[in-house]
Amino acid sequence: MATPSRKTSTASPQASKRALPRDPSSEVPSKRKNSAPQLPLLQSSRPFVEGSIVRITMENFLTYDICEVSPGPHLNMIIGANGTGKSSIVCAICLGLAGKPAFMGRADKVGFFVKRGCSKGMVEIELFRASGNLVITREIDVAKNQSFWFINKKSTTQKVVEEQVAALNIQVGNLCQFLPQDKVGEFAKLSKIELLEATEKSIGPPEMHRYHCELKNFREKEKQLETSCKEKTEYLQKMVQRNERYKQDVERFYERKRHLDLIEMLEAKRPWVEYENVRQEYEEVKLVRDRVKEEVRKLKEGQIPMTRRIEEMERERHNLEARIKEKATDIKEASQKCKQKQDVIERKDKHAYAGLIEELQQALTVKQNEEHDRQRRISNIRKMIEDLQNELKTTENCENLQPQIDAITNDLRRIQDEKALCEGEIIDKRRERETLEKEKKSVDDHIVRFDNLMNQKEDKLRQRFRDTYDAVLWLRNNRDKFKQRVCEPIMLTINMKDNKNAKYIENHIPSNDLRAFVFESQEDMEVFLKEVRDNKKLRVNAVIAPKSSYADRAPSRSLNELKQYGFFSYLRELFDAPDPVMSYLCCQYHIHEVPVGTERTRERIERVIQETRLKQIYTAEEKYVVKTSFYSNKVISSNTSLKVAQFLTVTVDLEQRRHLEEQLKEINRKLQAVESGLIALRETSKHLEHKDNELRQKKKELLERKTKKRQLEQKISSKLGSLKLMEQDTCNLEEEERKASTKIREINVQKAKLVTELTNLIKICTSLHIQKVDLILQNTTVISEKNKLESDYMAASSQLRLTEQHFIELDENRQRLLQKCKELMKRARQVCNLGAEQTLPQEYQTVFQDLPNTLDEIDALLIEERSRASCFTGLNPTIVQEYTKREEEIEQLTEELKGKKVELDQYRENISQVKERWLNPLKELVEKINEKFSNFFSSMQCAGEVDLHAENEEDYDKYGIRIRVKFRSSTQLHELTPHHQSGGERSVSTMLYLMALQELNRCPFRVVDEINQGMDPINERRVFEMVVNTACKENTSQYFFITPKLLQNLPYSEKMTVLFVYNGPHMLEPNRWNLKAFQRRRRRITFTQPSQ
């Protein structure tokens, strides 16, 4: 039994009978024929979300007389045996929130939900709102099958209730939010389109479903407009086609008329063009003349200020030069004073101050060093005397050590001989190693040269056939995947014995086979092609070598028989290749049957063909193919020139390379042996050296012991004498330091006074220099500006002379053009029959704008138009009238079609805008659902996914949500349908989908009634854990989970509310229900249980 710690809510005092709870920790609501359920323990400290159910009251409703339920804000689990009235609470929620009776799947009339034998029933739902709870009351009249609605005890209509409920985003008709017992099976039957609509309403933003509906309406309008446009377009095309049949005659009629009108206009415009040309020329000359006149005036005015400015610059320059000379004189005087003062300081510093200070410091330093050194030597000598005396006390009388010294000397001589012998052997080994290393380097160089030749072949392959080259690299790294031998492309494995013969092989074997891989096994080839062709998308070729080898088959004719015709070899003998490659080439291209000849063969080719009956022949530069006619049995031959070899010209002697590799292995083996010998000799030499050092040390110690006592006595006597002399020679350092400091201080005072005087003089000199530089810069600027002004003045004077001359020429030309304009204007008016004061009519001006504007063009067009007009004859004006009438009708229809298309484009624009606002959030929403749904399924070791499905992106009424699930690892994902999955699998899928929606949480509560009935125990336990974990999170909506039974040992959360519904003949009367007594008994049981 569940044991959450929650506050117990009291039932209505009007309840007729109550059953005593059997487990006080979690039982609350109960029911008999008129009993009421009651909610569990502590109320959540966190407030309800907007729209959550706070209270449910039922009177004479289904199985209840009077019942009041106060659910919690998170997971509410309603438990009770079948028939006790669990689903009655679900029906009360649905009908109390303006739900349709038919949605419950029980009855289609609301009167059927009133308890049998009663004429009226009532359901009251209290919903949480931050601004004040909303209480909705529905009274049901059985006789009239009518409902009376109240909001907060005030009468209202069902429509107002529906609006209030919808404002809180409550959708009792949405299976994604409200899933009653009789509708559980209907969820899996929901189409993808219906599921999308239910999901949008349940968790989508309020505008998402509205956008979807707008898109569907827009799309319907778009289809209607497309149909209308198509019909009008077809009719318009028919009209256009009918006019097209007469278009040529009409065009010819109008074209002739246009030619005649154009001729008339051209003849009228020509004199005006002549006048206009001269007038434009006059205006241009006049404009240029006025511009030049103005330019002359400006040039004259511009010279006046330049002259004045030049004179001002000259006066300023003379003034600055005078000031510069004065400053130079002052600087010279100040510099002389500084030099004199500096000479005095340097002379005294060099000859008096510096020498005297340095001499005093050096004398003091010498005395300090001497005293320190004397004290240090005295200390060292005393210590040495003490050490020598101690050592003298410990020294014993020396015995006769000479025999031991002689024996050690003989051992040293013997070890020296052994060391010399060992060194000689090491030198011999080193020389042998150097010789072998030189041989190894030579062999390595040869192998590298062979590898370079092979790399050349691979480079050619990479440049020409990159896919084949990539496949070669893959093969080299994956040879372990193949059971039998796999040969690289034939062009890499073939090795020409003489690269001059490469052209025969390349002309005989096609390029596709030259770059083909050769396999011995069909299975290996399929593995290779699947990897490189299918997976890596590389274009490669592969062939299979024959099972029985053709490589060693003898030719049908001996080569000795063919030498008389100039043949020197068969193709097979011109190169080496691995056995599978050679076998394939012999089988496929018969290279063991194709001889190669020389120029002598070509000279007698007819005889060769007739006598040898060979099918293919190669001469020095040609290939011959011989065939026998099937009908006439005649021999037919064809020849082609040999192409230059590209791939096989690089020759690698593989046998020599293998020989070099074996030679390299032998050299490495010898080097290893020499190195081992050197290591052994070095160890021997090291051992002899160590022994030699030990003997020398022993000999040294013996010799020292022999002479040590005498030497110690002499040293002690000498050190005592030195110590006595040092102690007599003393010096007073403090007195010497005081005298030296006094003399140095006096010298520094005199020196500082002279330096101060010099510093003042230098400052004065520096200031004068700065003033002089500033004056020089000013003078330079003035000179530069003056020179520039003088240059500009000269240029302006020259420009003025040229401009005045140009003005005179332009004025004369203007007078001439003016007279010519008057003459041409008079002639043009005469041509158009215009008076002296009349202007050119507007119709003339309009037509003239479209005609050529030059005389040459007008004359050429007149000749051309007159010729064309004379070509048009036999035209009927009636056809032109009918054509014009249809053209007007086409134009009207075109305008209508244009309007339709504009309207269609507007709808498409609306669709595009609404689609962007609807589809992108919808995709994000479905992706979130899919993430939650997939995670839930993964936690159950199953797989499931949710995606947005649409067969056509533009059919918005066909969009839907597709749920695909897989409950066994051996199967594929299948769409959730009423037929493919079992009942338990559909229940699990439905529950997990609702839990995925629960986490996205836009609706205030969800109701799921007995969805776990078809589940096996494992899935039921997993789903229950997910429900508890999801519904008890913070910020999730309220959840009602109705079930008749539960498994044992399920996990529970403190935020859960567990409601038990009881039924039976021994139910406790409601007025006898004492909640406080029940809580006291429960606490006593809880406290006493651990001790038991």
Side-chain angles (χ1 to χ4, degrees):
M1 299 295 287
T3 58
S5 175
R6 300 186 61 82
K7 181 180 73 177
T8 302
S9 61
T10 60
S12 168
Q14 299 172 354
S16 60
K17 292 185 178 180
R18 291 277 185 178
L20 183 64
R22 298 172 186 171
D23 186 354
S25 66
S26 60
E27 302 168 310
V28 186
S30 62
K31 141 185 130 55
R32 191 170 166 256
K33 52 187 177 183
N34 51 3
S35 59
Q38 182 178 343
L39 280 171
L41 312 177
L42 293 174
Q43 185 81 355
S44 173
S45 60
R46 183 171 182 82
F48 290 82
V49 298
E50 193 84 359
S52 296
I53 298 175
V54 178
R55 178 176 56 84
I56 306 168
T57 301
M58 296 166 284
E59 291 184 10
N60 299 327
F61 186 80
L62 289 176
T63 56
Y64 294 104
D65 292 333
I66 299 175
C67 178
E68 183 176 292
V69 180
S70 299
H74 296 290
L75 175 61
N76 295 274
M77 190 164 62
I78 303 176
I79 306 174
N82 291 330
T84 55
K86 305 183 300 300
S87 297
S88 298
I89 300 175
V90 177
C91 295
I93 295 174
C94 178
L95 297 179
L97 295 176
K100 299 294 186 291
F103 180 73
M104 303 302 300
R106 293 193 172 194
D108 56 353
K109 295 182 179 179
V110 69
F112 291 152
F113 289 87
V114 177
K115 187 175 181 180
R116 185 173 299 177
C118 298
S119 60
K120 290 185 179 181
M122 185 273 291
V123 175
E124 186 172 88
I125 307 292
E126 183 177 352
L127 302 176
F128 175 79
R129 283 197 315 188
S131 59
N133 288 2
L134 179 69
V135 179
I136 300 174
T137 306
R138 181 174 189 171
E139 294 182 355
I140 304 170
D141 190 324
V142 177
K144 297 180 181 179
N145 192 36
Q146 287 183 341
S147 297
F148 301 96
W149 296 91
F150 301 89
I151 293 181
N152 295 333
K153 305 302 180 182
K154 295 181 181 179
S155 179
T156 186
T157 63
Q158 182 174 348
K159 183 177 180 181
V160 174
V161 173
E162 290 174 348
E163 291 174 354
Q164 293 282 355
V165 170
L168 294 171
N169 199 33
I170 297 172
Q171 306 165 30
V172 292
N174 189 340
L175 292 182
C176 289
Q177 181 174 345
F178 197 90
L179 191 61
Q181 178 181 356
D182 297 315
K183 293 287 185 177
V184 171
E186 296 294 325
F187 186 88
K189 295 180 183 179
L190 286 178
S191 67
K192 295 187 283 289
I193 299 171
E194 293 170 337
L195 183 58
L196 172 60
E197 184 175 353
T199 303
E200 286 178 336
K201 292 178 179 178
S202 176
I203 64 169
E207 68 276 6
M208 179 175 287
H209 181 64
R210 176 168 55 81
Y211 287 154
H212 193 182
C213 294
E214 288 179 4
L215 277 175
K216 289 189 283 189
N217 294 334
F218 286 155
R219 177 56 179 163
E220 187 63 30
K221 292 285 187 181
E222 182 186 18
K223 289 180 180 178
Q224 295 174 2
L225 287 171
E226 286 175 348
T227 303
S228 177
C229 288
K230 183 179 179 181
E231 293 173 353
K232 290 185 180 294
T233 302
E234 290 175 354
Y235 180 67
L236 179 63
Q237 289 174 351
K238 290 179 182 178
M239 296 288 290
V240 170
Q241 290 172 2
R242 188 178 301 173
N243 255 16
E244 284 294 328
R245 290 196 293 269
Y246 301 103
K247 185 176 181 180
Q248 188 174 1
D249 290 341
V250 174
E251 288 178 350
R252 293 178 70 246
F253 178 85
Y254 281 115
E255 188 172 356
R256 178 176 180 277
K257 187 175 184 303
R258 284 196 301 272
H259 290 315
L260 295 175
D261 293 342
L262 183 58
I263 290 169
E264 182 181 353
M265 289 297 105
L266 287 170
E267 290 174 345
K269 182 175 180 179
R270 192 179 189 287
W272 288 99
V273 171
E274 289 185 80
Y275 162 73
E276 185 64 23
N277 289 342
V278 176
R279 188 191 66 77
Q280 287 180 359
E281 186 178 357
Y282 167 77
E283 292 294 336
E284 291 174 359
V285 171
K286 182 174 179 295
L287 185 64
V288 174
R289 171 212 177 244
D290 294 341
R291 187 167 61 248
V292 172
K293 182 178 180 181
E294 179 65 19
E295 188 177 347
V296 169
R297 184 186 63 77
K298 289 181 179 179
L299 288 172
K300 288 180 178 179
E301 292 177 354
Q303 284 184 328
I304 296 173
M306 291 174 66
T307 305
R308 294 174 181 169
R309 182 61 179 162
I310 290 171
E311 293 173 354
E312 292 175 1
M313 291 287 183
E314 183 65 22
R315 288 194 297 272
E316 186 176 356
R317 184 180 66 81
H318 285 300
N319 184 25
L320 288 172
E321 287 179 352
R323 292 173 63 190
I324 289 170
K325 289 179 181 179
E326 293 176 2
K327 293 296 179 184
T329 304
D330 295 340
I331 290 170
K332 185 176 180 181
E333 294 176 356
S335 297
Q336 289 177 352
K337 292 179 181 179
C338 287
K339 185 68 172 62
Q340 293 171 0
K341 184 64 67 177
Q342 188 174 4
D343 291 343
V344 171
I345 293 173
E346 287 179 354
R347 187 168 57 253
K348 289 188 177 183
D349 189 39
K350 182 176 180 181
H351 299 291
Y353 300 147
L356 185 57
I357 292 173
E358 185 178 358
E359 184 178 332
L360 290 170
Q361 290 176 343
Q362 287 179 354
L364 180 61
T365 302
V366 168
K367 290 181 180 180
Q368 289 174 343
N369 292 339
E370 288 177 352
E371 181 60 23
H372 292 159
D373 187 56
R374 186 180 71 86
Q375 293 294 335
R376 182 179 53 78
R377 283 188 283 115
I378 289 172
S379 176
N380 290 340
I381 289 174
R382 286 176 177 170
K383 186 178 179 185
M384 289 173 64
I385 291 172
E386 184 178 354
D387 292 341
L388 290 171
Q389 287 175 346
N390 292 333
E391 188 176 356
L392 181 61
K393 292 177 182 178
T394 59
T395 303
E396 301 176 357
N397 293 327
C398 297
E399 65 274 9
N400 188 8
L401 302 176
Q402 191 60 40
Q404 297 180 32
I405 294 172
D406 293 340
I408 290 173
T409 302
N410 293 332
D411 291 341
L412 282 171
R413 191 176 297 111
R414 178 178 56 79
I415 288 172
Q416 289 294 332
D417 294 339
E418 292 178 2
K419 282 178 61 178
L421 181 61
C422 185
E423 290 293 334
E425 291 178 1
I426 289 173
I427 291 170
D428 293 340
K429 289 288 184 183
R430 285 176 178 169
R431 288 173 182 169
E432 184 180 357
R433 183 178 64 181
E434 291 173 359
T435 303
L436 289 172
E437 286 177 347
K438 289 178 181 177
E439 292 179 5
K440 180 181 177 181
K441 186 176 183 303
S442 176
V443 173
D444 284 337
D445 291 342
H446 278 82
I447 291 174
V448 168
R449 284 196 290 272
F450 279 117
D451 290 341
N452 289 338
L453 292 174
M454 196 63 189
N455 290 338
Q456 291 178 20
K457 296 176 76 173
E458 292 180 4
D459 286 341
K460 289 183 178 180
L461 177 66
R462 177 176 54 81
Q463 294 169 8
R464 187 70 180 274
F465 308 108
R466 183 55 188 256
D467 285 1
T468 305
Y469 176 76
D470 293 340
V472 169
L473 299 181
W474 180 88
L475 175 63
R476 291 175 180 173
N477 294 327
N478 297 275
R479 286 193 179 274
D480 56 337
K481 295 184 177 180
F482 304 101
K483 298 178 180 179
Q484 298 188 33
R485 184 176 182 184
V486 181
C487 296
E488 293 182 358
I490 293 175
M491 65 171 62
L492 295 181
T493 56
I494 284 180
N495 184 45
M496 300 301 302
K497 295 178 180 178
D498 187 346
N499 57 13
K500 295 179 181 178
N501 298 324
K503 60 185 178 182
Y504 301 118
I505 306 303
E506 290 194 21
N507 280 273
H508 191 73
I509 304 173
S511 172
N512 284 341
D513 270 7
L514 278 176
R515 59 190 179 95
F517 294 80
V518 181
F519 294 82
E520 291 184 338
S521 163
Q522 178 72 26
E523 183 182 354
D524 287 346
M525 186 173 76
E526 290 175 356
V527 171
F528 175 79
L529 292 179
K530 181 178 181 181
E531 181 64 34
V532 298
R533 275 190 186 173
D534 300 343
N535 297 344
K536 295 187 174 295
K537 308 300 181 186
L538 300 178
R539 294 176 293 178
V540 298
N541 297 332
V543 297
I544 298 180
K547 292 184 178 179
S548 58
S549 178
Y550 281 69
D552 297 327
R553 289 200 176 185
S556 58
R557 302 184 63 171
S558 172
L559 185 62
N560 291 330
E561 297 178 20
L562 300 177
K563 285 186 178 179
Q564 59 178 319
Y565 302 109
F567 294 108
F568 64 88
S569 175
Y570 283 104
L571 286 177
R572 181 177 62 183
E573 278 67 42
L574 297 179
F575 64 89
D576 295 322
D579 187 72
V581 175
M582 188 66 79
S583 177
Y584 171 76
L585 295 178
C586 288
C587 176
Q588 186 70 23
Y589 298 106
H590 307 288
I591 58 174
H592 62 297
E593 297 282 1
V594 180
V596 182
T598 59
E599 190 65 28
R600 188 158 65 92
T601 308
R602 190 188 65 78
E603 293 173 356
R604 55 186 74 181
I605 190 64
E606 294 182 2
R607 177 187 165 196
V608 171
I609 293 172
Q610 295 296 329
E611 295 180 1
T612 61
R613 295 287 181 174
L614 294 168
K615 294 182 179 180
Q616 293 187 72
I617 300 170
Y618 283 93
T619 63
E621 298 296 335
E622 291 178 331
K623 174 185 179 181
Y624 289 83
V625 178
V626 182
K627 297 180 180 178
T628 303
S629 174
F630 180 75
Y631 300 101
S632 63
N633 204 28
K634 291 182 179 180
V635 176
I636 302 171
S637 65
S638 61
N639 65 312
T640 55
S641 298
L642 297 181
K643 297 178 182 177
V644 178
Q646 297 180 0
F647 302 109
L648 304 178
T649 54
V650 178
T651 302
V652 181
D653 191 343
L654 297 178
E655 186 61 32
Q656 186 178 357
R657 193 183 188 285
R658 283 194 292 272
H659 176 70
L660 288 170
E661 288 177 348
E662 292 175 359
Q663 188 177 349
L664 182 63
K665 290 179 182 178
E666 180 62 22
I667 291 172
N668 287 332
R669 186 187 61 76
K670 291 180 179 179
L671 274 172
Q672 189 173 0
V674 169
E675 194 65 35
S676 300
L678 272 173
I679 292 171
L681 289 171
R682 289 194 187 101
E683 289 295 328
T684 303
S685 177
K686 186 176 179 182
H687 175 70
L688 292 173
E689 184 69 27
H690 179 68
K691 194 171 182 180
D692 180 79
N693 289 337
E694 287 180 352
L695 292 173
R696 290 181 183 277
Q697 185 63 29
K698 288 180 181 179
K699 183 177 179 181
K700 181 180 178 182
E701 291 174 357
L702 291 173
L703 291 173
E704 287 177 351
R705 286 171 59 189
K706 189 175 180 180
T707 58
K708 191 171 185 180
K709 186 174 182 181
R710 185 174 63 254
Q711 291 174 350
L712 288 173
E713 292 174 347
Q714 291 176 354
K715 285 182 181 180
I716 291 171
S717 176
S718 174
K719 295 298 180 183
L720 287 172
S722 300
L723 178 62
K724 186 176 181 181
L725 292 174
M726 288 179 186
E727 289 176 344
Q728 292 176 357
D729 188 11
T730 59
C731 177
N732 189 350
L733 285 178
E734 293 181 358
E735 182 63 25
E736 294 296 331
E737 289 174 355
R738 186 183 60 75
K739 292 179 180 179
S741 298
T742 302
K743 293 179 180 179
I744 290 171
R745 195 179 301 109
E746 294 174 354
I747 293 170
N748 285 336
V749 169
Q750 297 175 8
K751 185 176 179 181
K753 183 177 180 182
L754 292 173
V755 170
T756 301
E757 295 175 357
L758 176 62
T759 302
N760 293 332
L761 290 173
I762 290 172
K763 288 180 180 179
I764 294 170
C765 187
T766 302
S767 176
L768 291 172
H769 272 291
I770 292 172
Q771 295 174 11
K772 179 184 176 183
V773 168
D774 185 47
L775 291 172
I776 291 172
L777 289 175
Q778 293 179 27
N779 187 44
T780 303
T781 303
V782 170
I783 292 171
S784 176
E785 291 179 1
K786 178 175 173 290
N787 292 338
K788 185 176 181 303
L789 285 170
E790 289 176 346
S791 176
D792 293 344
Y793 181 80
M794 296 298 294
S797 298
S798 176
Q799 180 66 26
L800 178 61
R801 288 192 299 272
L802 294 174
T803 306
E804 288 175 342
Q805 181 65 31
H806 188 206
F807 171 75
I808 294 170
E809 294 173 355
L810 288 172
D811 191 57
E812 292 174 355
N813 192 20
R814 183 187 67 82
Q815 294 291 342
R816 180 180 59 79
L817 290 173
L818 180 60
Q819 185 62 32
K820 188 175 180 180
C821 278
K822 292 178 180 179
E823 295 173 359
L824 291 173
M825 171 60 78
K826 183 178 179 181
R827 185 153 60 93
R829 289 181 177 277
Q830 290 174 356
V831 171
C832 293
N833 298 320
L834 297 176
E837 301 299 329
Q838 288 181 313
T839 60
L840 189 67
Q842 183 62 37
E843 57 269 18
Y844 275 95
Q845 296 180 17
T846 304
V847 175
F848 284 176
Q849 289 178 356
D850 298 329
L851 297 178
N853 295 320
T854 64
L855 292 175
D856 293 338
E857 291 176 347
I858 290 174
D859 292 340
L861 190 57
L862 273 171
I863 295 170
E864 181 180 350
E865 294 299 318
R866 285 168 182 160
S867 299
R868 289 181 176 178
S870 63
C871 297
F872 294 96
T873 57
L875 298 175
N876 187 358
T878 306
I879 296 175
V880 177
Q881 294 174 2
E882 294 176 356
Y883 180 87
T884 304
K885 184 178 179 181
R886 278 194 297 271
E887 278 292 316
E888 292 174 356
E889 189 175 353
I890 289 171
E891 183 177 356
Q892 181 181 357
L893 192 59
T894 303
E895 287 296 323
E896 292 179 8
L897 183 60
K898 183 178 179 182
K900 293 288 184 183
K901 289 183 177 179
V902 169
E903 187 178 359
L904 179 60
D905 291 339
Q906 183 63 41
Y907 270 104
R908 286 173 176 167
E909 178 66 23
N910 293 339
I911 287 173
S912 176
Q913 294 175 358
V914 176
K915 179 181 178 181
E916 183 178 357
R917 293 195 291 267
W918 170 72
L919 188 55
N920 291 338
L922 178 60
K923 287 180 178 178
E924 294 176 2
L925 184 64
V926 173
E927 184 61 32
K928 292 177 182 177
I929 297 172
N930 178 53
E931 181 181 357
K932 303 293 183 183
F933 189 75
S934 299
N935 291 339
F936 288 148
F937 261 87
S938 298
S939 66
M940 297 176 60
Q941 288 76 47
C942 300
E945 65 177 33
V946 177
D947 61 5
L948 187 63
H949 182 266
E951 296 178 357
N952 184 358
E953 188 177 352
E954 302 301 326
D955 291 340
Y956 304 107
D957 55 343
K958 299 295 192 299
Y959 273 77
I961 286 181
R962 179 175 60 179
I963 300 176
R964 296 194 297 164
V965 295
K966 180 178 73 171
F967 288 88
R968 286 164 290 280
S969 60
S970 59
T971 62
Q972 300 293 326
L973 287 169
H974 289 286
E975 188 173 347
L976 181 66
T977 64
H979 314 293
H980 192 279
Q981 289 82 13
S982 66
E985 290 173 345
R986 291 198 301 272
S987 296
V988 170
S989 303
T990 302
M991 195 66 192
L992 295 187
Y993 185 79
L994 295 178
M995 295 311 301
L997 300 186
Q998 175 73 9
E999 294 216 344
L1000 298 176
N1001 183 21
R1002 199 176 71 83
C1003 61
F1005 65 85
R1006 280 191 171 81
V1007 177
V1008 180
D1009 190 1
E1010 296 194 17
I1011 198 171
N1012 60 333
Q1013 292 310 296
M1015 299 183 190
D1016 59 79
I1018 296 175
N1019 285 335
E1020 183 177 355
R1021 183 177 297 277
R1022 290 172 176 170
V1023 169
F1024 185 84
E1025 291 177 0
M1026 293 179 191
V1027 171
V1028 172
N1029 293 335
T1030 304
C1032 293
K1033 289 182 178 178
E1034 293 293 335
N1035 301 320
T1036 59
S1037 58
Q1038 194 177 35
Y1039 204 95
F1040 291 89
F1041 184 78
I1042 294 88
T1043 179
K1045 50 86 178 179
L1046 285 176
L1047 300 174
Q1048 295 182 353
N1049 301 320
L1050 292 174
Y1052 297 93
S1053 171
E1054 292 186 357
K1055 294 182 180 179
M1056 288 175 58
T1057 300
V1058 182
L1059 300 94
F1060 289 87
V1061 182
Y1062 290 100
N1063 189 9
H1066 303 293
M1067 302 295 291
L1068 186 68
E1069 292 292 337
N1071 54 8
R1072 295 175 58 191
W1073 178 266
N1074 190 332
L1075 180 62
K1076 294 182 178 180
F1078 159 73
Q1079 290 176 331
R1080 285 196 300 272
R1081 287 197 301 274
R1082 177 58 187 161
R1083 280 195 291 269
R1084 284 199 300 273
I1085 293 171
T1086 303
F1087 294 148
T1088 57
Q1089 277 178 350
S1091 61
Q1092 294 174 359

